[in-house]
């Protein structure tokens, strides 16, 4: 069995979750085809593969497509504006920011995800160069992983910028809390963190039912309990709209509805 095989089917949890990396790549590829695209990702279509496009067409909506485009742009801007040279992308999947954002030669970009996902990406992009020092670290993020990051040169005594995009919902609540504990313990004051979260009601979203495990209606509390000063937006809010939403985001006063949160935070 080659290291690419686990990404080729989407039958059970252990195969479906890594496969979502290809579904995200397919949605980025669709965005790239739009004349008014929010970003360019020249590698997305190649990484996605035909079966990921089929899954997206069968399972996901236009609203999901818009969300992934907005989320990608939101976190592209977040990483670029952070202007921090130590960058950690947790559950990076087939994210190609290491290749497509303009990093300086002093930047270290660390990516962590399941080994087979990163091996697939490395294989497909082996001819491409990055403008940063690029570290692909295969890891199960529900198991101890900090040592791998430290061994690769990461320093917890200088500020870092973290991105946790499209991961938290696949963890149990205990795993999600523990991940934030580890990230916080590795983050010097002034570090920044970007992540997306879903509401508790969103656990019922049909397309991902049985796969989504963790949602929260209080992202501010979740992050502040781990020592982060938080700014939370919903897609459609100012700074997370990019001309893609004509309706305002649902009021936070409305309880028990499906919604997503785009969060950025600074370590206090
Ligand atoms: N961040 C990427 C993006 O937005 O395109 C990928 C998001 S994809 C929805 C979810 C990713 O989380 C997959 O790449 C999957 O392999 C990774 N993932 C989920 N659980 C994980 C775990 N326990 N350890 C490592 N990676 C995990």
């Amino acid at each position: 069995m080659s290291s690419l095989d686990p990404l080729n089917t989407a039958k059970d949890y252990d195969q479906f979750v890594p496969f979502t990396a290809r579904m995200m790549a397919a949605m980025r590829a669709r965005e790239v085809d739009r004349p008014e695209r929010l970003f360019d990702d020249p590698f997305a279509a190649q990484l996605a593969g035909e079966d990921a496009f089929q899954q997206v067409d069968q399972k996901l909506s236009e609203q999901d497509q818009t969300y992934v485009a907005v989320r990608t742009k939101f976190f592209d801007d977040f990483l670029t504006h952070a202007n921090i040279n130590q960058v950690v992308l947790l559950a990076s999947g087939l994210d190609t920011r290491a290749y497509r954002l303009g990093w300086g030669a002093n930047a270290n970009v660390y990516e962590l995800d399941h080994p087979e996902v990163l091996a697939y990406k490395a294989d497909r992009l082996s001819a491409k160069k990055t403008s940063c020092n690029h570290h692909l670290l295969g890891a199960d993020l529900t198991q101890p992983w900090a040592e791998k990051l430290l061994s690769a040169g990461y320093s917890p005594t200088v500020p870092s910028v973290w991105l946790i995009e499209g991961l938290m919902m696949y963890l149990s609540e205990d795993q999600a809390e523990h991940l934030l504990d580890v990230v916080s313990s590795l983050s010097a004051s002034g570090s920044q963190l970007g992540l997306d979260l879903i509401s508790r009601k969103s656990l019922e979203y049909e397309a991902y039912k049985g796969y989504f495990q963790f949602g929260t209606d209080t992202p501010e509390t979740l992050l502040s309990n781990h020592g982060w000063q938080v700014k939370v937006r919903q897609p459609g809010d100012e700074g997370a709209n990019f001309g893609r939403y004509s309706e305002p985001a649902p009021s936070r006063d409305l309880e028990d509805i499906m919604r997503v949160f785009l969060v950025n935070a600074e370590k206090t």
Side-chain angles (χ1 to χ4, degrees), residues 17-18 20-21 24 28 71 90-95 113-114 117 139-142 165-167 170-171:
V17 175
T20 61
M24 295 304 110
R28 286 192 288 271
R71 182 178 85 176
L90 292 182
S92 56
L94 302 178
D95 172 353
D113 203 298
H114 288 298
V117 175
D140 181 344
L141 294 166
T142 64
E165 185 186 31
L167 172 68
Y170 295 107
L171 304 180

Side-chain angles (χ1 to χ4, degrees), residues 172-183:
S172 68
E173 183 163 359
D174 283 353
Q175 289 168 343
E177 291 277 2
H178 182 65
L179 188 87
L180 291 176
D181 274 344
V182 177
V183 168

Side-chain angles (χ1 to χ4, degrees), residues 193-206:
L193 167 62
L195 78 166
D196 61 321
L197 292 161
I198 62 173
S199 66
R200 293 177 66 80
K201 183 76 175 171
S202 302
L203 299 179
E204 297 170 17
Y205 183 37
E206 195 56 38

Side-chain angles (χ1 to χ4, degrees), residues 19-36:
F19 184 80
T20 61
R22 288 180 50 198
M23 292 166 67
M24 295 304 110
M27 288 199 274
R28 286 192 288 271
R30 290 265 158 82
E31 173 68 14
V32 167
D33 282 343
R34 293 172 67 116
E36 76 286 20

